Amino acid sequence: MNKGKIPAQGRSSQAESRRKFLKAAMAGVAVGGAAALGSCMTRQPAARGAGTTPKSVARYQNSPNKGRRCGGCTHFLEPNACEIVAGEISPYGWCRFHEPRPA
């Protein structure tokens, strides 16, 4: 007797079931990956290197401070962003992280 052994017919149907399962699993992964990629592509792109510090923490103001302004800061990103401070930044604004650009 063939104790513990699967007959030849059973092996081929078992292999076919595995193939079907793997194909279905890979299709599911592909669809899920495409959906995830699609959802992140619909968002509005943030400014390159835009900061995350709230304006209140940075003590941001929309006017210069003693002649120092965001447009002359090393952290300012044209046209209206900052590497440190979150949100839209005026080139004529100022915050406590101001570092003058080298002359």
Side-chain angles (χ1 to χ4, degrees):
M1 288 211 168
N2 288 337
K3 261 190 174 178
K5 293 195 177 199
I6 300 171
Q9 277 182 329
R11 274 187 259 152
S12 71
S13 67
Q14 192 176 26
E16 193 172 319
S17 287
R18 266 192 221 126
R19 270 189 228 113
K20 284 181 182 179
F21 171 76
L22 289 173
K23 283 181 182 179
M26 292 308 289
V29 168
V31 169
L37 181 61
S39 70
C40 68
M41 296 301 285
T42 58
R43 293 186 197 151
Q44 196 70 295
R48 174 189 53 84
T52 57
T53 304
K55 288 181 179 181
S56 60
V57 173
R59 288 188 255 153
Y60 173 80
Q61 60 188 42
N62 282 322
S63 57
N65 182 4
K66 299 177 185 170
R68 294 179 290 171
R69 60 186 189 87
C70 294
C73 177
T74 58
H75 302 296
F76 185 69
L77 301 170
E78 294 285 341
N80 58 358
C82 176
E83 294 175 335
I84 298 175
V85 181
E88 193 171 306
I89 303 298
S90 168
Y92 301 101
W94 175 87
C95 82
R96 69 185 185 123
F97 299 112
H98 182 272
E99 287 184 34
R101 288 186 181 160

